[in-house]
Amino acid sequence: MQDWITELGARTLADDHITFDTQDAARQALDATVVTPLLQFGVLDVVGADAEKFLQGQASAQLNLVDGDFAPLTVFCTPKGRMLANAQLLRVAEGHYRLILHRDLVDSLADHLKKFAVFYKVQLTARDDLALIGLIGQEASALAEVRLDIAPPAIWHQAGDAETQLLAHPGPRPRLLAILPTERATEVWPTLAEQATPAGNAVWCLHDIQAGLAWLTSHHRDALLPQMINWEALGGISFKKGCYTGQEVVARAHFRGQVKRRLMRGQLDGSVLPEIGSPVLDTSDKAVGEVITTELDAYDQAEVLVVLSTKEDIGPLSVAGQKLKLLQLPYPIERLDPESLAAS
């Protein structure tokens, strides 16, 4: 699956992290342009005559908005409203939908959805033959247009054709995600690397953190409500659609204000990256939250996304022996309807 990446001279650090011999990659993404293989993501295709109807009953997205232009965030839940996976959803062609999610959850989500798919004319396929490449920086848009021959879309929209899709994600610098066959990726990569510096995918993960965007992994599968990672504030939940699995619990939590934990962004006063799931401690060493993801920033300090209690005056906090300073999120914690995003 990842042979094309190792051929580029990258080194594997973990199942979902690779690196290149690039100095100060995080800073280069701020000051210039970098290109990175997005090893952390996987692809699940949903294809068939009933694909739209099937997904309408399982995903939090309003499927009639997924039109080949708008590519919204979505989430899949248990009947109790706990997340099994969150994803970006795009339409490749008529009756052909594509989910981009953490690679850790592709197989488990497919297994879950297959329980319902037997009642529909639909097929689910994990696409190990596709490559995902990220471009970050001021020249990302121009480079994608020249090398991929695709005009970049707006954030949470898509462009391209049935073979190659281009998505735009938020962040402190312009970010584009390209999905293409691995054979083409090996051809396109050298042309991108002529004008963008190859970098490990940690830099993309860092920009996710700075965008307040958390991708669920197996560690938090079936543990959190969508609102606990601010999914409704990112336009990942349609409150105007009909029923889907978990919808009643998700809607009740929203309308009754029953969300007691929220995703928050922070910075640690050291460079030690805590493990996913590490507790956030108050001054009494009581756990008041936990780490969702973490990466080193351009100044070699650990930045984190944590799910934290919403109680006021929670006091000084720490993670793995390091002080935690909470930072402002780049969006308000309020409902953002995907219907409004589709029109933007």
Side-chain angles (χ1 to χ4, degrees):
M1 174 182 174
Q2 303 300 336
D3 290 347
W4 75 276
I5 295 178
T6 55
E7 291 174 1
L8 304 177
R11 291 182 289 112
T12 301
L13 298 178
D15 287 344
D16 60 354
H17 272 68
I18 55 95
T19 188
F20 292 84
D21 293 326
T22 301
Q23 297 294 319
D24 300 321
R27 186 176 294 277
Q28 290 203 43
L30 294 176
D31 299 336
T33 303
V34 301
V35 57
T36 177
L38 299 179
L39 180 66
Q40 69 272 36
F41 291 119
V43 178
L44 179 64
D45 276 6
V46 182
V47 182
D50 293 338
E52 180 178 341
K53 182 179 180 182
F54 169 70
L55 286 170
Q56 180 72 3
Q58 297 298 324
S60 63
Q62 179 66 268
L63 263 291
N64 62 16
L65 298 177
V66 188
D67 57 0
D69 175 23
F70 184 48
L73 293 172
T74 192
V75 67
F76 296 86
C77 297
T78 68
K80 294 183 178 180
R82 267 46 182 184
M83 292 184 292
L84 296 172
N86 59 344
Q88 185 175 10
L89 175 62
L90 55 149
R91 193 181 79 168
V92 177
E94 185 72 26
H96 183 174
Y97 293 87
R98 178 160 290 166
L99 292 162
I100 311 300
L101 63 157
H102 196 279
R103 59 178 293 185
D104 202 17
L105 294 176
V106 171
D107 290 341
S108 62
L109 179 61
D111 289 342
H112 168 76
L113 292 177
K114 284 175 182 177
K115 299 174 186 177
F116 308 94
V118 295
F119 303 105
Y120 297 86
K121 295 178 181 178
V122 67
Q123 184 174 1
L124 286 81
T125 306
R127 295 296 303 271
D128 293 339
D129 58 331
L130 296 177
L132 286 81
I133 296 175
L135 285 166
I136 311 174
Q138 299 299 340
E139 300 302 320
S141 295
L143 188 54
E145 190 161 6
V146 171
R147 299 305 187 189
L148 298 175
D149 196 26
I150 302 174
I155 292 174
W156 301 135
H157 287 66
Q158 69 180 90
D161 53 31
E163 179 184 74
T164 302
Q165 299 87 47
L166 190 65
L167 309 171
H169 284 201
R173 293 293 185 272
R175 290 200 296 166
L176 295 172
L177 186 159
I179 309 163
L180 62 169
T182 53
E183 295 83 359
R184 190 181 179 209
T186 58
E187 300 171 359
V188 169
W189 178 272
T191 68
L192 296 173
E194 289 176 2
Q195 295 174 275
T197 302
N201 60 329
V203 68
W204 186 277
C205 298
L206 172 64
H207 282 234
D208 276 340
I209 291 173
Q210 293 173 342
L213 176 60
W215 297 101
L216 203 71
T217 67
S218 59
H219 190 97
H220 288 100
R221 182 179 183 271
D222 196 12
L224 303 171
L225 292 172
Q227 290 95 330
M228 291 179 182
I229 60 167
N230 302 342
W231 216 236
E232 88 283 26
L234 289 161
I237 304 173
S238 173
F239 291 96
K240 299 180 179 182
K241 68 174 287 183
C243 293
Y244 58 91
T245 302
Q247 181 263 346
E248 184 178 352
V249 176
V250 173
R252 187 188 309 126
H254 171 70
F255 290 110
R256 295 185 180 179
Q258 296 175 334
V259 182
K260 297 180 180 179
R261 290 186 289 165
R262 280 286 186 181
L263 188 77
M264 301 186 190
R265 178 183 163 222
Q267 185 180 63
L268 304 181
D269 68 349
S271 58
V272 177
L273 295 179
E275 297 288 335
I276 292 177
S278 295
V280 179
L281 304 176
D282 64 13
T283 53
S284 301
D285 286 338
K286 178 183 176 182
V288 293
E290 59 184 305
V291 172
I292 300 297
T293 185
T294 178
E295 294 292 347
L296 294 179
D297 64 17
Y299 305 97
D300 206 33
Q301 286 188 292
E303 293 200 24
V304 294
L305 289 177
V306 298
V307 170
L308 197 62
S309 170
T310 55
K311 291 182 180 179
E312 296 182 1
D313 301 323
I314 203 168
L317 303 170
S318 65
V319 177
Q322 301 169 98
K323 292 180 181 178
L324 170 63
K325 175 185 177 183
L326 295 179
L327 303 175
Q328 186 174 0
L329 286 165
Y331 52 80
I333 304 297
E334 59 187 37
R335 171 177 157 181
L336 175 61
D337 289 327
E339 289 79 4
S340 64
L341 281 176
S344 62

